[in-house]
Amino acid sequence: MAKFFRIFGLCLTGFSLFSAIGLQQHLCAGQNAPVVQHGKPAITNGGFEDGLSGWKRLWTREPEAGRVVLDNQVVHSGHYSVRIDFSGSKDWSFMPDLEIPADSDTLFELSSWVKISGSGAGVLGVITYDDQGVIDWTYAGVSPKKTADWQYIKTRFRTSGNIVKIIPRWIGEGPATIWIDDFQIHTTPLSQTGVLPPSISITNPVMDVTLDTRNNTLTVFDKRSNFKWRQVNLHNDLWLLDAKSSGQTIAMRMESLTSGLRLNIDLTLDLKLPEFDITIAGNGSMPQSIGFPEPFVTDTGTYLIVPLNEGISYPVNDPSIHPMRLIAYGGHGICMSFWGVTDGVRGQMAIIETPDDASIQIERYDQKLCITPFWDPEKERFGYSRRIKYLFFDEGGFVAMCKKYRSYIQAQGRLHTLAQKRLDNPNVDLLVGAANIWCWDQEPLSIVKEMKAAGMDKILWSAAGSPEIIAAMNQQRVLTGRYDIYQDVMDPERFPTLRYVDSNWPTHAWPGDIIIDSAGQWEKGWEIETKDNKLYPCGVLCDSKALQYAAERIPVELKSHPYRARFIDTTTAAPWRECYHPDHPMTRSQSRQEKMRLLEYISNDMKLIAGSETGHDAAVPYVHYFEGMMSLGPYRIDDAGRNMGQILSRVPQQIRQFQLGHEYRLPLWELVYHDCVTSYWYWGDYNNKIPAVWEKRDLFNILYATPPMFMFDRALWTQNRSRFIRSYRNITPVLLNTGYSEMTDFRFLTPDRNVQQSLFANGTKITVNFGKTAFRMPDGRKIKAMGWLFDKGDQQALTP
């Protein structure tokens, strides 16, 4: 369903132009415009007691893939229901033959009883239109759970001012039999408590904040720069019941139109600073996410600042950027809980102070990108109070945002530097500047000796080895480590059908210790290739059980294998998860806590250099390195976690434009955490993965002062030995100079971003020229195309 439906403000995507036109013709044929009376049903045959009268024919993307029949055997009420038999793999649509005028002061309640059998799924929602055509194909959509029983599905919503009409409907995707009964839509007039003024304002010496009570949006006037930041209402789910100001606080009472959840919201402006805090409290059922506050409108020439892994900037007018949802509770989302927008000088940022059940939605208003924070349910309820902080800058751009966030983290006691970690584990010195080597050669010692002889002295050996090999490498001051994982658990009955059985699976965890989702199904994890060329998923180990399996495995192994490091796969890449198993229930917050307990055990109790996948700043106090922080998750090669050793001759578009696009990338992570954690590329996205862009990857390592990652076997090492050595020699001097140093600033020296410069607390300055022509520095020194300048006081090194 993910291909077609975006839940929590759903939209239908994936339409070809031809298909969209065909569906539009289907929608427009013979529609009526009923007069809807508040409190009375708008659909006269929602229970199908009059057959299919008043309903349009079933639309399917695949011809002859489905049919609609009246069913008098399986019903919810009355004598009939409608049964949809759908055998296709794509989508379908079934709707009444009517359109309903929109009204922004009306609460719409769309409901239906539904029963589903099969692997497909459905969504109940409405199509919204403005004067030009369709705005949203699945507005206010909700999905039924996977259960064999009849379910009552309801969605409530309000339409915005530009919506002129709606059409309610069911849509679905994939093979299924779906029964629908008692389909209905009601309307209720919306009202506020008393008469509210059009706006309510609070002020301090540098800023005015005004709430528009008519649409729940804020306007912020920055007195320092004489600039006004304005929000726009894109989501329409919250209805303002009451609002009043007292001192520096605006107190609001709101109701979620979708769920009826009542919320108490306080906006408190700082007495002196250009920032305010918002706290949202509620108690009740929360069937889907709530987007609030609304997004600030962006202007042409500004950029979204998004800590997507290492970091990226999105020009708000760039049509190649697609809307996306990024969770704040896992490595494949935002890895630090903030975002911002800037024109390069002034800017606005938001810090999500309760990120465990939060996400951000990158979307468009007036064809320009903007961001809305969304609050996700905690175990289907609102749960604890949610907090978000908004800050405004008159100078400094994205660097000022990162430094503000670093100060925020430091004030919470979460900024643990590598220098501090070295006091507990001197092997941190072996990590700083070390190239991460993944090599499964049968004679690794000979390769390590060749590397050492060539001057590749700093090595993180990640590919394990026998006790004798590990001991020998330790004598050569190699940081020896191995891969480990505490997530995937395969059903042992499936072992005979698989191409391989992973010795890292804690098989005795099946089935009692795996995660059960809210529908009572076991959580699906990494898919394993079967002997008949199919994929079968592992279950996901509950995070509350991971530590006990690590404690059973690691101490025993260390008695024979003297490893100095351990890489824990998925822990900081996978999202914090909920578990509904009665023996080990877990919220996302508890999931995070358990993940951190596991990493803390590795680093503190086992005294190992700890690494994990992709990365998230919740783990900064407990780990020393991340594999994948340098690699922007959405822009890796397709299926990057498989066939990692395969070398690619072609550069995929997403690699060229975004992954290695110097016009987009930003070192946001390094500006906050460079001196706290070492960042590597992902093991399916390493320096030598695509030789055509190897040189550019090296330049990013030099500019960000992060180590390279190499993956090879004996043949590839022999073939490219001189290139591996050159890459190491180019990058490592920078790392040895900056490994324990904070990145204090980052600059673009040319408007096209071809020449970029990073600065560090110890005075080091690194300038890289990504352009096709040489660049002359103000002091006369010239940096050749695809070259760099490493400047540390009286130590200077141009590109060899």
Side-chain angles (χ1 to χ4, degrees):
M1 293 297 289
K3 181 178 179 182
F4 291 94
F5 309 131
R6 176 166 54 81
I7 308 301
F8 311 132
L10 293 90
C11 67
L12 190 62
T13 62
F15 278 99
S16 67
L17 178 61
F18 175 81
S19 298
I21 292 173
L23 180 55
Q24 185 67 42
Q25 292 170 344
H26 170 72
L27 293 173
C28 293
Q31 290 175 346
N32 304 307
V35 177
V36 181
Q37 297 182 6
H38 291 313
K40 294 186 178 182
I43 300 171
T44 58
N45 187 30
F48 306 102
E49 299 306 299
D50 294 327
L52 295 176
S53 173
W55 287 81
K56 300 178 74 67
R57 63 180 177 84
L58 178 71
W59 176 89
T60 63
R61 188 175 300 279
E62 301 153 293
E64 309 299 326
R67 64 172 186 158
V68 172
V69 296
L70 288 173
D71 193 324
N72 62 2
Q73 300 298 313
V74 180
V75 299
H76 174 259
S77 67
H79 297 90
Y80 294 100
S81 71
V82 150
R83 187 180 77 241
I84 299 173
D85 298 319
F86 186 73
S87 59
S89 61
K90 297 183 180 179
D91 53 319
W92 54 266
S93 172
F94 184 58
M95 67 192 73
D97 186 10
L98 85 165
E99 61 186 38
I100 300 173
D103 183 351
S104 60
D105 292 326
T106 293
L107 173 63
F108 293 89
E109 182 173 297
L110 175 64
S111 61
S112 176
W113 283 86
V114 63
K115 177 182 171 73
I116 299 180
S117 174
S119 60
V123 173
L124 176 68
V126 300
I127 308 171
T128 57
Y129 293 81
D130 62 13
D131 292 329
Q132 304 300 314
V134 173
I135 301 174
D136 194 332
W137 291 102
T138 331
Y139 186 79
V142 290
S143 295
K145 294 181 179 180
K146 292 283 189 178
T147 175
D149 298 327
W150 280 101
Q151 300 175 62
Y152 179 66
I153 303 298
K154 179 177 69 174
T155 179
R156 306 194 320 163
F157 58 91
R158 174 194 178 204
T159 57
S160 61
N162 62 327
I163 297 176
V164 297
K165 66 180 179 181
I166 62 174
I167 298 178
R169 64 172 183 163
W170 271 100
I171 61 173
E173 181 192 37
T177 300
I178 299 182
W179 290 266
I180 298 170
D181 206 350
D182 299 327
F183 185 100
Q184 197 50 260
I185 187 165
H186 292 84
T187 63
T188 306
L190 289 167
S191 62
Q192 295 175 325
T193 303
V195 178
L196 295 179
S199 63
I200 299 174
S201 296
I202 51 178
T203 187
N204 71 14
V206 294
M207 179 176 291
D208 297 332
V209 180
T210 300
L211 168 70
D212 188 328
T213 62
R214 297 163 297 186
N215 56 24
N216 302 342
T217 61
L218 299 173
T219 299
V220 176
F221 179 67
D222 191 331
K223 301 175 185 178
R224 300 165 302 171
S225 58
N226 200 37
F227 186 80
K228 186 175 291 186
W229 298 87
R230 180 175 59 87
Q231 289 183 342
V232 61
N233 191 319
L234 292 185
H235 302 98
N236 301 297
D237 180 51
L238 294 181
W239 177 253
L240 183 64
L241 300 172
D242 194 12
K244 58 185 177 181
S245 64
S246 176
Q248 297 300 106
T249 298
I250 299 176
M252 296 163 268
R253 287 195 303 115
M254 293 189 179
E255 179 179 343
S256 168
L257 302 181
T258 302
S259 64
L261 177 68
R262 293 288 181 96
L263 299 173
N264 293 315
I265 302 174
D266 287 340
L267 185 157
T268 301
L269 178 63
D270 190 89
L271 290 172
K272 298 179 180 180
L273 299 175
E275 57 189 62
F276 58 81
D277 299 308
I278 293 178
T279 300
I280 310 171
N283 183 23
S285 175
M286 187 179 178
Q288 63 187 55
S289 299
I290 293 175
F292 185 82
E294 295 287 350
F296 281 97
V297 175
T298 56
D299 295 323
T300 299
T302 60
Y303 297 81
L304 297 186
I305 304 302
V306 184
L308 174 67
N309 306 122
E310 182 65 58
I312 197 164
S313 62
Y314 289 131
V316 299
N317 291 96
D318 191 334
S320 68
I321 312 300
H322 301 296
M324 67 182 84
R325 176 70 64 88
L326 296 171
I327 61 172
Y329 45 87
H332 290 294
I334 51 173
C335 297
M336 298 180 283
S337 56
F338 77 90
W339 81 88
V341 60
T342 182
D343 60 5
V345 181
R346 64 185 171 219
Q348 169 263 316
M349 75 177 293
I351 298 175
I352 304 173
E353 298 195 87
T354 51
D356 286 348
D357 297 278
S359 55
I360 66 172
Q361 179 69 40
I362 299 177
E363 49 200 337
R364 289 191 184 274
Y365 171 73
D366 193 23
Q367 301 183 3
K368 293 185 283 291
L369 296 170
C370 55
I371 291 180
T372 303
F374 273 78
W375 307 104
D376 298 339
E378 182 194 47
K379 286 291 190 81
E380 302 180 343
R381 298 184 64 82
F382 189 82
Y384 56 93
S385 295
R386 316 300 178 95
R387 300 191 311 276
I388 188 168
K389 178 186 293 288
Y390 283 83
L391 307 96
F392 299 82
F393 303 85
D394 60 349
E395 60 182 3
F398 67 86
V399 174
M401 296 177 193
C402 289
K403 294 309 168 184
K404 175 64 74 170
Y405 186 73
R406 180 180 169 99
S407 296
Y408 170 80
I409 293 296
Q410 190 167 22
Q412 293 186 332
R414 293 166 50 198
L415 194 79
H416 293 222
T417 67
L418 287 169
Q420 292 170 321
K421 295 171 184 178
R422 180 175 54 181
L423 298 176
D424 295 324
N425 190 338
N427 286 331
V428 171
D429 274 337
L430 298 179
L431 173 69
V432 171
N436 193 341
I437 307 299
W438 285 95
C439 172
W440 289 275
D441 193 80
Q442 295 299 311
E443 297 181 1
L445 275 178
S446 62
I447 293 179
V448 168
K449 290 177 180 178
E450 290 182 36
M451 295 171 70
K452 288 278 187 174
M456 297 178 68
D457 191 55
K458 302 293 294 274
I459 298 172
L460 167 59
W461 186 266
S462 294
S466 67
E468 296 76 19
I469 288 174
I470 296 303
M473 286 188 181
N474 287 343
Q475 290 181 354
Q476 297 184 56
R477 290 188 56 77
V478 172
L479 181 57
T480 50
R482 64 153 288 187
Y483 171 96
D484 203 355
I485 185 171
Y486 297 94
Q487 173 176 285
D488 297 328
V489 184
M490 177 58 72
D491 180 354
E493 293 186 1
R494 290 281 176 173
F495 285 5
T497 70
L498 306 178
R499 288 191 175 181
Y500 69 91
V501 173
D502 193 334
S503 61
N504 291 301
W505 294 335
T507 301
H508 50 297
W510 184 277
D513 288 344
I514 64 174
I515 288 178
I516 301 298
D517 65 21
S518 60
Q521 304 298 311
W522 54 274
E523 186 83 13
K524 308 299 188 295
W526 184 252
E527 294 181 319
I528 306 299
E529 297 87 349
T530 62
K531 294 175 181 177
D532 57 355
N533 297 317
K534 297 180 180 179
L535 294 172
Y536 190 81
C538 291
V540 174
L541 180 68
C542 186
D543 294 312
S544 66
K545 299 294 183 178
L547 179 55
Q548 74 179 58
Y549 289 104
E552 292 173 3
R553 175 184 299 170
I554 297 173
V556 173
E557 184 182 51
L558 289 179
K559 290 179 180 180
S560 58
H561 294 68
Y563 291 116
R564 292 167 166 171
R566 206 169 190 95
F567 171 70
I568 309 300
D569 198 11
T570 77
T571 295
T572 54
W576 321 155
R577 288 185 167 101
E578 294 181 338
C579 182
Y580 290 79
H581 196 295
D583 294 337
H584 43 83
M586 182 176 67
T587 64
R588 289 194 191 95
S589 293
Q590 291 167 336
S591 171
R592 170 183 53 80
Q593 294 164 4
E594 295 293 348
K595 286 171 178 275
M596 298 310 112
R597 285 182 63 210
L598 171 64
L599 296 174
E600 185 178 28
Y601 174 77
I602 303 295
S603 58
N604 290 359
D605 295 10
M606 294 293 97
K607 299 299 180 183
L608 296 170
I609 298 297
S612 193
E613 184 192 355
T614 301
H616 190 284
D617 74 344
V620 166
Y622 313 110
V623 302
H624 304 88
Y625 71 95
F626 287 127
E627 283 194 14
M629 184 57 72
M630 284 287 290
S631 298
L632 311 180
Y635 307 119
R636 300 171 185 174
I637 65 169
D638 295 340
D639 212 4
R642 303 183 192 274
N643 301 317
M644 288 90 69
Q646 181 183 13
I647 302 300
L648 302 183
S649 58
R650 184 184 64 84
V651 183
Q653 174 61 26
Q654 72 269 26
I655 297 291
R656 190 181 303 277
Q657 181 177 358
F658 295 111
Q659 189 67 270
L660 299 179
H662 60 273
E663 304 90 348
Y664 292 93
R665 287 189 65 119
L666 293 176
L668 304 180
W669 179 268
E670 305 310 321
L671 281 163
V672 179
Y673 290 121
H674 180 269
D675 57 336
C676 298
V677 180
T678 295
S679 303
Y680 291 101
W681 300 98
Y682 179 61
W683 73 341
D685 187 52
Y686 42 89
N687 289 65
N688 60 300
K689 177 71 175 182
I690 310 174
V693 292
W694 188 342
E695 183 179 11
K696 192 165 188 181
R697 283 193 194 273
D698 287 358
L699 286 181
F700 276 113
N701 284 126
I702 292 168
L703 181 64
Y704 294 0
T706 58
M709 175 187 285
F710 304 131
M711 186 175 289
F712 51 75
D713 56 16
R714 163 58 71 177
L716 192 61
W717 163 256
T718 301
Q719 177 184 352
N720 294 279
R721 182 178 182 276
S722 62
R723 183 64 186 88
F724 284 117
I725 294 171
R726 177 158 56 93
S727 182
Y728 178 92
R729 289 177 177 174
N730 287 343
I731 299 170
T732 301
V734 173
L735 310 181
L736 297 180
N737 183 267
T738 60
Y740 289 103
S741 189
E742 176 189 351
M743 183 187 285
T744 55
D745 199 2
F746 192 85
R747 304 167 179 169
F748 299 116
L749 302 190
T750 57
D752 57 10
R753 298 192 176 187
N754 281 346
V755 183
Q756 304 183 14
Q757 187 177 78
S758 54
L759 296 90
F760 294 82
N762 65 357
T764 296
K765 185 185 301 181
I766 304 163
T767 310
V768 165
N769 180 11
F770 291 108
K772 296 181 180 179
T773 60
F775 176 77
R776 189 171 296 278
M777 296 285 287
D779 61 5
R781 288 177 294 174
K782 187 167 66 173
I783 307 175
K784 71 179 186 179
M786 298 297 287
W788 72 92
L789 170 64
F790 169 46
D791 195 340
K792 173 62 174 74
D794 57 356
Q795 302 174 23
Q796 299 174 358
L798 281 165
T799 310

